[in-house]
Amino acid sequence: HADLFGSFPYHPSEIVLHRDRSLLPAGGAGEWPSLTVVHRPERSHCQLTAYLDRYYPAVGARTAEPDGAPPRRPWLQTWGAFVEPSAEDVVGRFPFLRVVHTRCLPDLLGRLEKVQGTSGVYFAGSYAAYGMGLLEQAVQSAESATSRLVESLAEEG
Protein backbone atom coordinates (compact mmCIF):
# COMPACT_ATOMS: atom_id res chain seq x y z
CA HIS A 1 0.00 0.00 0.00
CA ALA A 2 3.04 2.23 -0.14
CA ASP A 3 1.93 3.62 -3.50
CA LEU A 4 -1.42 4.65 -2.02
CA PHE A 5 0.06 6.36 1.04
CA GLY A 6 2.76 7.97 -1.07
CA SER A 7 -0.03 9.60 -3.10
CA PHE A 8 -1.28 11.68 -0.17
CA PRO A 9 0.39 15.10 -0.28
CA TYR A 10 2.02 16.20 2.97
CA HIS A 11 3.35 19.55 4.16
CA PRO A 12 6.17 19.87 6.70
CA SER A 13 4.94 21.62 9.81
CA GLU A 14 6.14 22.44 13.30
CA ILE A 15 4.60 23.13 16.68
CA VAL A 16 6.65 25.24 19.10
CA LEU A 17 5.95 24.90 22.82
CA HIS A 18 7.09 28.10 24.49
CA ARG A 19 6.47 30.77 27.14
CA ASP A 20 6.97 33.93 25.06
CA ARG A 21 3.92 36.10 25.64
CA SER A 22 5.03 38.59 22.98
CA LEU A 23 3.18 36.31 20.52
CA LEU A 24 -0.10 37.21 22.26
CA PRO A 25 -2.11 40.40 21.83
CA ALA A 26 -1.33 43.31 24.14
CA GLY A 27 -2.97 43.15 27.54
CA GLY A 28 -2.85 40.81 30.47
CA ALA A 29 -3.68 37.17 30.90
CA GLY A 30 -7.33 37.98 31.57
CA GLU A 31 -7.59 39.52 28.10
CA TRP A 32 -5.66 36.90 26.14
CA PRO A 33 -7.86 34.73 23.91
CA SER A 34 -7.62 30.95 23.91
CA LEU A 35 -6.43 31.07 20.32
CA THR A 36 -4.63 33.92 18.57
CA VAL A 37 -4.68 33.84 14.78
CA VAL A 38 -2.30 36.08 12.82
CA HIS A 39 -2.63 36.42 9.07
CA ARG A 40 -0.25 38.24 6.80
CA PRO A 41 -1.16 38.64 3.11
CA GLU A 42 2.36 37.74 2.00
CA ARG A 43 2.13 34.37 3.80
CA SER A 44 0.40 31.25 2.54
CA HIS A 45 -0.77 30.27 6.02
CA CYS A 46 -1.83 31.73 9.34
CA GLN A 47 0.12 31.59 12.57
CA LEU A 48 -1.89 30.04 15.41
CA THR A 49 -0.93 30.45 19.06
CA ALA A 50 -2.89 28.53 21.68
CA TYR A 51 -2.88 29.87 25.23
CA LEU A 52 -2.59 26.47 26.91
CA ASP A 53 -3.26 27.77 30.43
CA ARG A 54 -6.78 28.57 29.21
CA TYR A 55 -7.26 25.15 27.57
CA TYR A 56 -5.86 23.30 30.58
CA PRO A 57 -6.93 25.21 33.72
CA ALA A 58 -5.01 22.84 36.01
CA VAL A 59 -1.77 23.91 34.28
CA GLY A 60 -2.72 27.56 34.66
CA ALA A 61 -3.42 27.07 38.36
CA ARG A 62 0.00 25.43 38.86
CA THR A 63 1.80 28.22 37.02
CA ALA A 64 -0.07 31.13 38.61
CA GLU A 65 1.98 33.74 40.41
CA PRO A 66 2.35 33.40 44.21
CA ASP A 67 -0.31 36.09 44.75
CA GLY A 68 -2.76 34.07 42.60
CA ALA A 69 -2.44 36.38 39.61
CA PRO A 70 -2.37 34.80 36.12
CA PRO A 71 1.06 33.62 35.03
CA ARG A 72 3.53 36.15 33.67
CA ARG A 73 5.08 33.30 31.68
CA PRO A 74 2.12 31.43 30.17
CA TRP A 75 2.37 28.08 28.42
CA LEU A 76 1.87 28.63 24.69
CA GLN A 77 1.82 26.44 21.59
CA THR A 78 2.42 28.06 18.21
CA TRP A 79 1.88 26.40 14.86
CA GLY A 80 3.15 27.90 11.62
CA ALA A 81 5.30 30.49 13.39
CA PHE A 82 6.44 33.35 11.22
CA VAL A 83 7.13 35.37 14.35
CA GLU A 84 9.64 33.26 16.23
CA PRO A 85 9.36 32.99 20.00
CA SER A 86 12.47 34.10 21.85
CA ALA A 87 15.00 31.27 22.07
CA GLU A 88 15.17 31.39 25.89
CA ASP A 89 11.39 30.88 26.07
CA VAL A 90 11.27 27.87 23.74
CA VAL A 91 10.60 24.63 25.63
CA GLY A 92 10.55 22.37 22.57
CA ARG A 93 10.05 22.14 18.81
CA PHE A 94 7.99 19.34 17.36
CA PRO A 95 8.18 18.83 13.57
CA PHE A 96 5.62 16.69 11.78
CA LEU A 97 4.07 16.13 8.38
CA ARG A 98 0.50 17.34 7.94
CA VAL A 99 -1.67 15.91 5.21
CA VAL A 100 -2.78 18.48 2.63
CA HIS A 101 -6.34 17.98 1.50
CA THR A 102 -6.54 18.65 -2.22
CA ARG A 103 -8.98 17.85 -5.04
CA CYS A 104 -7.49 14.38 -5.32
CA LEU A 105 -8.61 13.48 -1.77
CA PRO A 106 -11.97 11.86 -2.68
CA ASP A 107 -10.19 9.50 -5.09
CA LEU A 108 -7.50 8.67 -2.51
CA LEU A 109 -10.11 8.04 0.19
CA GLY A 110 -11.99 5.78 -2.23
CA ARG A 111 -8.82 3.78 -2.87
CA LEU A 112 -8.15 3.60 0.88
CA GLU A 113 -11.70 2.40 1.47
CA LYS A 114 -11.10 -0.55 -0.89
CA VAL A 115 -8.09 -1.80 1.08
CA GLN A 116 -9.52 -1.29 4.59
CA GLY A 117 -9.52 -4.62 6.42
CA THR A 118 -7.32 -6.42 3.90
CA SER A 119 -5.41 -9.10 5.85
CA GLY A 120 -7.02 -7.72 9.02
CA VAL A 121 -5.29 -4.34 8.68
CA TYR A 122 -7.25 -1.11 9.14
CA PHE A 123 -5.81 2.33 8.54
CA ALA A 124 -6.54 5.41 10.60
CA GLY A 125 -5.10 8.89 10.73
CA SER A 126 -5.84 12.46 9.79
CA TYR A 127 -5.37 11.52 6.13
CA ALA A 128 -8.04 8.80 6.30
CA ALA A 129 -11.12 11.02 6.70
CA TYR A 130 -12.36 14.01 4.78
CA GLY A 131 -11.75 17.30 6.56
CA MET A 132 -8.88 19.59 7.46
CA GLY A 133 -6.36 16.88 8.31
CA LEU A 134 -6.45 17.60 12.03
CA LEU A 135 -6.77 15.46 15.13
CA GLU A 136 -10.55 15.44 14.74
CA GLN A 137 -10.20 13.58 11.44
CA ALA A 138 -7.71 11.18 13.02
CA VAL A 139 -10.23 10.37 15.77
CA GLN A 140 -13.06 10.03 13.23
CA SER A 141 -11.03 7.60 11.14
CA ALA A 142 -9.96 5.64 14.24
CA GLU A 143 -13.59 5.27 15.30
CA SER A 144 -14.49 4.04 11.82
CA ALA A 145 -11.60 1.57 11.71
CA THR A 146 -12.47 0.28 15.20
CA SER A 147 -16.12 -0.22 14.25
CA ARG A 148 -15.11 -2.16 11.15
CA LEU A 149 -12.71 -4.31 13.15
CA VAL A 150 -15.39 -5.11 15.75
CA GLU A 151 -17.84 -5.98 12.94
CA SER A 152 -15.33 -8.30 11.28
CA LEU A 153 -14.56 -10.03 14.58
CA ALA A 154 -18.28 -10.51 15.24
CA GLU A 155 -18.71 -12.05 11.78
CA GLU A 156 -15.88 -14.49 12.50
CA GLY A 157 -17.83 -15.41 15.59
Side-chain angles (χ1 to χ4, degrees):
H1 305 296
D3 62 323
L4 172 59
F5 292 108
S7 299
F8 283 88
Y10 293 92
H11 180 266
S13 219
E14 181 180 63
I15 293 285
V16 181
L17 180 64
H18 63 93
R19 305 198 71 185
D20 183 355
R21 65 186 198 174
S22 72
L23 275 73
L24 296 172
E31 299 172 25
W32 292 331
S34 300
L35 187 64
T36 300
V37 180
V38 178
H39 176 260
R40 296 208 173 138
E42 70 275 8
R43 297 290 184 147
S44 63
H45 68 279
C46 292
Q47 173 180 290
L48 305 173
T49 298
Y51 176 25
L52 298 178
D53 300 62
R54 185 147 347 248
Y55 281 101
Y56 304 104
V59 171
R62 286 196 309 267
T63 61
E65 299 301 318
D67 63 1
R72 290 186 188 90
R73 296 191 66 230
W75 286 98
L76 304 168
Q77 175 181 293
T78 298
W79 173 77
F82 43 81
V83 175
E84 282 293 323
S86 67
E88 63 268 7
D89 286 325
V90 172
V91 177
R93 293 180 174 277
F94 306 94
F96 62 98
L97 293 175
R98 182 169 175 225
V99 68
V100 178
H101 289 252
T102 64
R103 283 183 235 158
C104 67
L105 184 65
D107 175 60
L108 293 171
L109 290 176
R111 289 173 53 201
L112 180 62
E113 181 70 25
K114 289 177 183 171
V115 299
Q116 285 286 35
T118 303
S119 301
V121 177
Y122 296 84
F123 300 98
S126 60
Y127 60 87
Y130 191 79
M132 293 182 63
L134 302 174
L135 291 175
E136 292 83 354
Q137 284 72 49
V139 170
Q140 180 185 8
S141 70
E143 288 174 340
S144 176
T146 301
S147 294
R148 288 171 174 227
L149 176 61
V150 169
E151 286 173 19
S152 74
L153 292 173
E155 288 172 6
E156 290 177 10

